[in-house]
């Protein structure tokens, strides 16, 4: 049994916000794969929950008139992976969330919950950073937009207020059109594992596919929050995709922008080794997916 004081199923986002305002002890719940675990462990026991799980307005993927991709916060990982628009425009995100937990978790857990949980190990997080996604929240004061890169404030903490509902995410057209990417999750086993480290690389190549026009490098579990290595990115722009020295320098430069810690999953030193190695592997795979050729 879960120690929950009350359960309310919201009829709309506005209704959910109203319920959260009226009950200062209430917490939002969608898929529940994180919230219910905290309740079971006693961390959030005895609280009220406001469910947005069945709100259709929070589900699905759409291509907007301006070319931006709209991803409902209540969309499950399985639906994201299998959505035709995701597969066509940003398959990297579908591949990343397909590494979350097992099938039951992926069928229930949502992209909004994964981001709003604030965990640096979230498999969607580093990819969403490299996609320059924007989170759209609604609260008592109305709607506001927050770049995912500014969403995290610390381990398990975000800028989302308790009375706010994450409605959807926007992926700008310029962040996926002409780009390709790859996400690597490192864990002690291939399934049902929280990431020891996550690495996401996106590239935009020149027309002849021989040079790097732009690149983005994101990590999870390389610091207290997900992060981007922007200085490392700048160093690789304009370089030939086959320039192994430039790629090695790109991967090594990332070490100056991360702050991993030792934990029971891995030591800081091992994570630093992963940070450097996975950057190269993810880059070369992203180049291959973008149509380039490398000898690495």
């Amino acid at each position: 049994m879960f120690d929950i004081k009350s359960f309310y199923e919201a009829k709309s986002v506005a209704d959910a916000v109203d319920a959260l305002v009226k009950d200062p002890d209430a917490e939002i719940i969608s898929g529940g794969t994180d919230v219910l675990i905290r309740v079971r462990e006693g961390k959030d026991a005895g609280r009220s929950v406001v469910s947005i799980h069945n709100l259709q307005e929070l589900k699905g993927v759409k291509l907007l008139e301006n070319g931006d991709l709209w991803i409902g916060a209540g969309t499950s990982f399985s639906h994201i992976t299998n959505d035709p628009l995701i597969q066509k425009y940003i398959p990297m995100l579908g591949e990343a969330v397909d590494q979350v937990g097992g099938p039951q978790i992926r069928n229930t857990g949502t992209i909004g919950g994964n981001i709003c949980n604030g965990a640096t190990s979230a498999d969607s997080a580093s990819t969403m950073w490299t996609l320059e996604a924007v989170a759209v929240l609604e609260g008592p004061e109305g709607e506001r937009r927050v770049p995912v890169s500014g969403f995290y404030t610390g381990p398990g903490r975000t800028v989302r207020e308790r009375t706010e509902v994450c409605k959807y995410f926007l992926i700008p057209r310029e962040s996926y059109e002409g780009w390709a990417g790859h996400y690597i999750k490192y864990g002690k086993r291939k399934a049902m594992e929280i990431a020891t480290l996550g690495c996401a690389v996106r590239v935009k190549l020149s027309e002849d596919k021989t040079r790097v026009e732009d690149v983005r490098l994101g990590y999870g579990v390389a610091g207290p929050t997900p992060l981007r290595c922007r200085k490392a990115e700048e160093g690789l722009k304009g370089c030939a995709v086959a320039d192994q020295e430039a790629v090695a320098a790109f991967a090594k430069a990332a070490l100056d922008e991360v702050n991993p810690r030792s934990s029971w999953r891995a030591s800081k030193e091992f994570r630093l080794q992963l940070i450097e190695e996975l950057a190269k592997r993810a880059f070369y795979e992203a180049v291959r997916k973008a149509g380039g050729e490398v000898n690495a």
Side-chain angles (χ1 to χ4, degrees):
M1 292 291 291
F2 292 103
D3 184 8
I4 295 173
K5 184 170 69 175
S6 66
F7 178 91
Y8 178 73
E9 186 164 341
K11 302 173 182 63
S12 65
V13 170
D15 185 40
V17 172
D18 185 59
L20 292 168
V21 170
K22 288 180 179 178
D23 185 351
D25 199 38
E27 180 177 6
I28 203 78
I29 187 172
S30 185
T33 55
D34 289 316
V35 174
L36 293 179
I37 289 174
R38 293 201 303 269
V39 171
R40 187 180 64 190
E41 293 176 344
K43 296 176 182 177
D44 285 332
R47 298 184 66 177
S48 304
V49 293
V50 176
S51 174
I52 56 172
H53 181 68
N54 292 317
L55 296 184
Q56 292 304 309
E57 62 185 291
L58 301 181
K59 299 181 186 294
V61 181
K62 297 183 287 189
L63 184 63
L64 303 182
E65 289 186 4
N66 65 357
D68 292 352
L69 280 169
W70 182 102
I71 304 175
T75 309
S76 72
F77 300 125
S78 295
H79 285 151
I80 288 175
T81 299
N82 294 304
D83 186 90
L85 291 173
I86 297 292
Q87 293 177 348
K88 181 178 180 179
Y89 295 112
I90 47 172
M92 176 185 180
L93 179 61
E95 293 162 4
V97 299
D98 199 42
Q99 298 181 57
V100 176
Q104 298 94 332
I105 296 294
R106 293 193 294 272
N107 288 339
T108 305
T110 64
I111 183 75
N114 204 224
I115 297 295
C116 289
N117 191 43
T120 183
S121 59
D123 288 304
S124 65
S126 55
T127 295
M128 292 290 271
W129 275 57
T130 58
L131 285 167
E132 298 193 336
V134 175
V136 180
L137 309 172
E138 184 171 322
E141 306 303 319
E143 185 179 284
R144 65 176 177 135
R145 300 187 174 197
V146 182
V148 168
S149 60
F151 196 73
Y152 296 77
T153 58
R157 301 192 302 274
T158 71
V159 300
R160 185 185 71 87
E161 300 290 341
R162 185 191 62 82
T163 53
E164 287 184 310
V165 174
C166 181
K167 298 198 296 183
Y168 56 89
F169 299 93
L170 292 173
I171 311 296
R173 180 178 182 175
E174 58 269 22
S175 287
Y176 71 80
E177 195 170 67
W179 290 79
H182 187 64
Y183 171 74
I184 299 177
K185 174 180 181 174
Y186 182 91
K188 293 182 179 180
R189 56 187 183 182
K190 292 185 177 180
M192 300 289 285
E193 174 75 331
I194 295 174
T196 300
L197 192 88
C199 177
V201 174
R202 291 187 64 75
V203 297
K204 178 185 279 189
L205 302 184
S206 59
E207 190 173 345
D208 63 2
K209 308 298 183 183
T210 63
R211 305 193 78 79
V212 180
E213 284 192 359
D214 207 347
V215 61
R216 295 174 186 166
L217 172 61
Y219 288 104
V221 209
T225 70
L227 54 87
R228 279 268 300 275
C229 294
R230 299 180 187 273
K231 291 181 181 178
E233 295 170 358
E234 288 298 322
L236 192 58
K237 291 178 183 179
C239 294
V241 297
D243 187 341
Q244 295 187 25
E245 289 186 4
V247 176
F250 160 73
K252 187 168 289 292
L255 298 177
D256 294 329
E257 301 182 71
V258 297
N259 184 28
R261 67 182 180 90
S262 292
S263 71
W264 67 270
R265 294 184 184 280
S267 66
K268 176 179 180 178
E269 291 73 21
F270 182 56
R271 283 197 168 101
L272 288 171
Q273 181 181 346
L274 288 174
I275 286 164
E276 185 174 357
E277 180 61 28
L278 296 190
K280 291 183 286 188
R281 295 189 187 189
F283 170 78
Y284 285 129
E285 184 62 19
V287 167
R288 186 190 67 78
K289 289 180 176 179
E293 293 185 7
V294 294
N295 297 313

